[in-house]
Amino acid sequence: MNDTQTLTLRNDYLFKLLLGSEENKACLQDFLECVLDIPAGMIEGLELLDKELAKDVVTDKTGILDVKIRLNNGTTIDIEIQNSWSLEFIPRTLFYWAKMYSEDFKEGEPYTSLTKCITINLVSQGFKLNNQIHSAYRILEQQSYQQLTELLEIHFLNLSLASQFVIQKGSTEKQQKLINWLQFINTDDKEVRTMLAMTSPILQMLNEKIDVLSLTPEERKLYESRMKLKSDIATISEVQFNAGRQEGKLETARILKQLGDSVQKIMQATGLSQAEVEALN
């Protein structure tokens, strides 16, 4: 099998393997400069957090492979790839943002010591919130739209829409770079990836790393397990749209049970009774 023909950065295992590494920090910096409206100087010298790719995390059905970064002004950033949109994605991303915001806070410290936290979500399919390629959310007053604080910032990047987008003549350089980045991440076609790499020295460097990357059988197994997990979650998402019907609830429960979720977790997700969940094959 030709690895480079089928590899795609929308696989969270590969995304973290490459962009979550010290040697590729320049690529990650370039990507963040396209996404975030902050001075490039703040992104320079970024610190990678949680760089380990532990096998038990990769193979855990509930494991989330993300890239965590700290900028030189203390801002913490979490980047996550979601293959398919699901009903639980918004509350989950808020939960992980809240965890990131408070995890380094020590008892006795003033609340003013808390630093800005940014979540960046790359969604491959089924994004439901709006029809924008890049959208950023903050807390605003309902009538005046006055911003309450800059400490919370959640971004969504629609990979599927970006892949359909044709760059317009009047687009800024930053917009063009972001579209190229998103199309590069989303594609699993080596020729398309090579063509996109020609638009940027950074993408060229990253593409060369993908081309020479040779996954061991164990790494290939981990890569494919993440693709399968994302497919399973996408199936659950489709079923959840019918959660108001008993059939939809039962089917969702069956899939969750096959994925190894606990009875209690399945009960919470579907509203079924313990007896109904335990009776499922």
Side-chain angles (χ1 to χ4, degrees), residues 230-241:
K230 297 296 184 180
S231 178
D232 289 341
I233 292 174
T235 301
I236 293 172
S237 300
E238 288 299 317
V239 173
Q240 283 179 330
F241 283 112

Side-chain angles (χ1 to χ4, degrees), residues 34-196:
C34 297
V35 177
L36 302 177
D37 188 22
I38 58 178
M42 289 187 182
I43 301 175
E44 292 174 2
L46 58 85
E47 176 190 0
L48 283 162
L49 309 173
D50 187 27
K51 292 173 282 188
E52 298 301 319
L53 258 174
K55 181 182 175 183
D56 58 342
V57 174
V58 176
T59 55
D60 180 3
K61 292 183 174 66
T62 61
I64 294 174
L65 293 189
D66 50 3
V67 175
K68 294 181 180 178
I69 308 129
R70 182 178 289 119
L71 304 186
N72 57 24
N73 67 343
T75 296
T76 307
I77 301 171
D78 186 85
I79 305 174
E80 181 190 340
I81 291 186
Q82 181 75 7
N83 227 35
S84 184
W85 186 260
S86 68
L87 295 176
E88 68 171 14
F89 194 73
I90 295 175
R92 196 189 76 190
T93 198
L94 285 170
F95 174 81
Y96 280 99
W97 174 87
K99 186 177 180 181
M100 179 172 62
Y101 181 61
S102 60
E103 65 184 352
D104 291 330
F105 186 72
K106 296 178 176 60
E107 187 176 352
E109 289 184 341
Y111 289 110
T112 51
S113 67
L114 290 163
T115 56
K116 183 174 183 177
C117 290
I118 301 172
T119 298
I120 300 175
N121 300 298
L122 295 99
V123 185
S124 181
Q125 298 174 8
F127 182 68
K128 301 290 183 180
L129 288 180
N130 56 57
N131 59 358
Q132 299 180 60
I133 292 173
H134 176 203
S135 49
Y137 290 83
R138 297 174 180 172
I139 301 176
L140 304 177
E141 202 283 325
Q142 288 187 349
Q143 295 184 7
S144 67
Y145 301 108
Q146 178 188 12
Q147 181 174 285
L148 177 66
T149 177
E150 64 171 15
L151 294 177
L152 167 64
E153 197 168 296
I154 298 177
H155 293 251
F156 294 96
L157 296 165
N158 189 333
L159 295 177
S160 178
L161 188 59
S163 291
Q164 303 169 25
F165 187 81
V166 178
I167 296 175
Q168 306 298 317
K169 190 174 181 179
S171 300
T172 67
E173 181 182 356
K174 185 176 181 180
Q175 290 170 333
Q176 292 179 21
K177 281 182 64 176
L178 179 60
I179 294 297
N180 290 334
W181 254 109
L182 298 182
Q183 292 181 351
F184 185 90
I185 290 170
N186 197 45
T187 188
D188 55 10
D189 188 304
K190 183 180 178 182
E191 292 185 3
V192 172
R193 193 172 63 239
T194 300
M195 180 183 66
L196 290 166

